[in-house]
Amino acid sequence: MLNYFKNMWLGVYTVLVGLRLTLIHLFSRNVTVQYPDERYPIPPNARNRLYLDPELCDACLRCAKACPVNCISIESLRAVPGLTPPLKNGDKRNLWVTHYEIDFAKCCFCGLCTEPCPTNAINTTTEFEYSTTKREDLIYTFVKMSDEEKKEKEEQLAIYQAEQKKKKAAEAEAKAKAEAEAKTKAVNETKNDN
Amino acid sequence: MEQNFVNMLIENPWIAALIIVVIPLVFVVIYALIAILGELKIASFVQERLGPMRTGWKGTMQPVAEVVKLLQKEDITPDAADKPLFNLAPFLMFAAAFAGFAVIPFSPYFLPAGIELGLFYVFAIGSLGVIGLVMGGWASNNKYSLLGAMRSVAQIVSYEIPAAIAILSIATLSGSLNLNVISDNQSGWFWNWYIFGGPGPWWKILVIPFTLGLGLIYLISTLAETNRTPFDIPEGESEIVAGYHTEYSGMKFAMFFFAEYANMFIVAAILMLLFFGGWNSPFGDFLNQWWMQPVWFILKAFFWVFLTIWLRWTLPRLRVDQLMYMSWKVLLPWGFVCFFAVSLFVMLK
């Protein structure tokens, strides 16, 4: 009998406690963020879409090697020393990047590519809303040289290489000449000694 | 007391009758939309969400969108269903809920049907809804529908008894079954309400605990009768899908939906008329003009609707045996105790 009254009291009391709790929540601040209209601030070190600064990239391929899923593909061309502008940060440009693309369908946003980059050309950004309906649209081409440009660069390189070859050949000739001269000199000296 | 302002304005009795019928219908539809929105919004605010925000200003057109969606949906009748009964059930349920409005006085000047046995009528016609419910469950020819209907009927039939006892006590206290007269008896300040013993000599304080208890008993029983949450065992997604309306879709489902909300308003109205002074202002003559009385009535009824929604997001459901325990072992004996006390008070007064 005592249990009966106790149950009844508990029934009423716990309902009142619950009602008080829900009433407090009814008038407390809502936590919903209305996403497309307002959004959470993204921390600046968030690892989202990658960005490559073409003016800083020297095509050293370290990012492509670091990538665990092989989503970065780079093609490059040797640069001609005299005719090549330096990189944005003033470093010497050794290679021209003719083609640089990242496939974000493959990318796992690990950020390993940003670490070995000597010039900080590749970086993670906070941009994350870039879904598309086609998989091809996720392949981002950051650098793509036109064929003419490429041809020009190749010609320049060919001329340079030819020049270098000539130079080398001339040098080699000069060297050989000098050696031969030295030899004859030495021979003459020994002759004189005798 | 004048029964109906429409009869005073319009000579032709047929047109007047039509208008009298249409007013509660329009009211039910608008009220149901507001209640659905309230349900969505209060649910989300309790959970610290925002709820629907995209349809209209802050999502206020969401219930309209939902009803339009329901109207557009394909109306499916299962092959194995008993078609006449299947199609009749939602209609019967809504008709039963809507028929209750015949005796609800929104103000002393608007009582659609001025019958003396209003309280008895509303209780009798309310029970008709159970037939629609079991009809729908049976005619669907679906095990979940049948189980849901049986659970629903068992629950409603058990809880009608404590509710009837609460109503009976108020009928003894007021000496009338006409809802307009019952409301009129409680005019004046709020201590004249029947939840506080009704108008009477100072020693009516002795009866206040019992009338408070009766109010609580009636409130709990009506929650169960309208299948609201602590007692919503007729529905159960994990056990019996959607209960008796599992097989219904489109307009017929909307009818069940409207019937449920209309029932909610009827029991809220009865609770307000019996215990909380009906269309009377709580503060004597303050704001008690003829145009303010329906506003008071609707505000009071909406408070009850708010309370049921609030309870829904507070309490878990009861088990079936707990449900029966509550009805037969708690509400019924205490209802009798209160009934005797109130009767004794009326005899001595």
Side-chain angles (χ1 to χ4, degrees):
Chain A
M1 198 63 198
L2 192 70
N3 214 18
Y4 173 80
F5 284 105
K6 213 171 144 190
N7 264 342
M8 240 169 55
W9 163 244
L10 266 180
V12 175
Y13 174 71
T14 50
V15 165
L16 290 178
V17 168
L19 283 177
R20 196 179 127 256
L21 194 71
T22 41
L23 196 68
I24 290 167
H25 281 278
L26 184 63
F27 292 109
S28 59
R29 236 179 103 76
N30 300 321
V31 294
T32 308
V33 174
Q34 290 273 294
Y35 162 62
D37 302 337
E38 46 183 281
R39 45 192 80 200
Y40 281 119
I42 298 172
N45 61 345
R47 296 201 307 256
N48 289 314
R49 191 168 72 188
L50 293 165
Y51 175 72
L52 175 93
D53 190 346
E55 286 299 303
L56 275 174
C57 182
D58 199 25
C60 63
L61 296 183
R62 283 182 214 182
C63 49
K65 276 175 196 156
C67 182
V69 291
N70 290 335
C71 68
I72 305 175
S73 58
I74 309 171
E75 285 167 23
S76 59
L77 198 64
R78 266 198 68 191
V80 181
L83 296 165
T84 316
L87 295 173
K88 208 159 89 182
N89 60 356
D91 282 3
K92 190 178 156 235
R93 192 192 287 270
N94 294 315
L95 292 166
W96 279 109
V97 187
T98 52
H99 191 81
Y100 193 113
E101 67 175 33
I102 301 180
D103 186 354
F104 283 106
K106 284 186 197 163
C107 182
C108 66
F109 307 100
C110 57
L112 287 178
C113 49
T114 61
E115 279 163 27
C117 187
T119 53
N120 277 338
I122 187 162
N123 259 314
T124 49
T125 61
T126 52
E127 176 66 30
F128 63 94
E129 297 150 309
Y130 54 98
S131 58
T132 56
T133 48
K134 272 187 284 176
R135 205 178 286 179
E136 290 77 44
D137 293 349
L138 283 172
I139 299 172
Y140 279 61
T141 309
F142 289 101
V143 185
K144 190 167 168 65
M145 251 180 209
S146 64
D147 283 347
E148 293 90 59
E149 237 180 321
K150 211 167 158 184
K151 216 172 173 181
E152 196 194 317
K153 295 262 163 31
E154 268 168 4
E155 273 168 8
Q156 279 180 1
L157 185 66
I159 292 165
Y160 173 73
Q161 273 172 344
E163 267 176 16
Q164 288 293 94
K165 221 176 185 178
K166 235 187 231 169
K167 226 178 182 178
K168 235 178 201 170
E171 253 172 36
E173 216 173 281
K175 211 178 178 185
K177 226 178 189 175
E179 263 174 31
E181 259 173 33
K183 227 177 189 175
T184 49
K185 218 177 184 178
V187 171
N188 287 345
E189 270 171 17
T190 46
K191 266 185 186 170
N192 291 345
D193 285 349
N194 293 335
Chain B
M1 195 184 298
E2 198 55 53
Q3 293 288 7
N4 211 313
F5 76 95
V6 183
N7 279 333
M8 299 194 314
L9 294 175
I10 294 164
E11 293 287 313
N12 190 330
W14 292 102
I15 296 173
L18 196 68
I19 290 170
I20 290 167
V21 170
V22 165
I23 288 172
L25 190 63
V26 170
F27 174 77
V28 166
V29 171
I30 293 169
Y31 147 77
L33 294 179
I34 293 171
I36 292 167
L37 182 72
E39 185 102 51
L40 291 169
K41 279 291 186 186
I42 291 167
S44 39
F45 287 157
V46 165
Q47 297 167 352
E48 300 193 0
R49 296 181 287 119
L50 288 174
M53 288 292 279
R54 299 276 148 182
T55 32
W57 182 76
K58 300 239 174 210
T60 37
M61 298 310 281
Q62 184 67 28
V64 178
E66 278 180 15
V67 170
V68 169
K69 181 206 77 177
L70 278 178
L71 292 181
Q72 287 174 338
K73 271 191 166 181
E74 188 188 352
D75 188 27
I76 300 165
T77 310
D79 264 348
D82 188 339
K83 286 188 186 68
L85 290 186
F86 183 83
N87 291 331
L88 186 63
F91 170 74
L92 190 70
M93 222 170 139
F94 185 75
F98 182 58
F101 278 87
V103 290
I104 304 284
F106 283 82
S107 97
Y109 309 107
F110 185 74
L111 181 62
I115 46 178
E116 283 302 312
L117 292 171
L119 196 53
F120 180 70
Y121 166 84
V122 80
F123 214 65
I125 209 84
S127 306
L128 200 64
V130 185
I131 295 174
L133 206 143
V134 79
M135 195 187 270
W138 182 268
S140 296
N141 210 348
N142 174 324
K143 53 185 174 295
Y144 300 122
S145 298
L146 184 58
L147 282 171
M150 279 164 67
R151 278 159 75 156
S152 199
V153 168
Q155 172 182 324
I156 292 174
V157 167
S158 338
Y159 275 87
E160 246 167 24
I161 297 161
I165 286 169
I167 285 178
L168 197 61
S169 314
I170 298 305
T172 26
L173 204 54
S174 65
S176 171
L177 284 172
N178 188 331
L179 287 167
N180 222 353
V181 174
I182 294 174
S183 295
D184 199 39
N185 284 349
Q186 304 173 64
S187 56
W189 287 75
F190 59 86
W191 54 73
N192 278 347
W193 292 354
Y194 282 131
I195 190 106
F196 301 118
W202 65 268
W203 50 275
K204 76 162 186 174
I205 309 165
L206 294 173
V207 88
I208 287 178
F210 298 104
T211 46
L212 276 172
L214 283 169
L216 197 62
I217 287 167
Y218 186 72
L219 198 141
I220 294 168
S221 334
T222 51
L223 276 179
E225 273 187 67
T226 47
N227 297 334
R228 297 292 303 181
T229 282
F231 310 102
D232 71 338
I233 58 158
E235 292 173 43
E237 281 77 19
S238 54
E239 310 143 28
I240 50 169
V241 198
Y244 59 89
H245 54 62
T246 303
E247 293 287 353
Y248 285 90
S249 63
M251 192 60 216
K252 285 180 211 150
F253 175 74
M255 288 288 259
F256 272 123
F257 213 65
F258 271 121
E260 210 164 285
Y261 278 97
N263 257 330
M264 241 167 97
F265 186 81
I266 296 250
V267 293
I270 297 292
L271 184 74
M272 292 311 145
L273 287 165
L274 293 185
F275 292 99
F276 293 95
W279 34 257
N280 284 306
S281 159
F283 315 109
D285 284 335
F286 174 69
L287 284 180
N288 202 20
Q289 295 88 343
W290 62 269
W291 51 270
M292 204 50 204
Q293 284 167 342
V295 176
W296 278 119
F297 179 75
I298 290 167
L299 273 182
K300 285 173 182 175
F302 266 68
F303 178 74
W304 188 88
V305 173
F306 166 73
L307 189 70
T308 56
I309 295 169
W310 179 16
L311 275 166
R312 178 173 173 188
W313 298 103
T314 304
L315 298 177
R317 324 161 63 195
L318 292 179
R319 228 164 41 214
V320 181
D321 64 312
Q322 290 169 333
L323 188 90
M324 292 300 156
Y325 177 95
M326 181 102 177
S327 168
W328 296 105
K329 286 190 173 171
V330 180
L331 296 185
L332 194 61
W334 287 104
F336 272 123
V337 168
C338 296
F339 177 52
F340 276 121
V342 169
S343 308
L344 207 66
F345 171 76
V346 172
M347 215 169 79
L348 296 174
K349 188 164 74 171

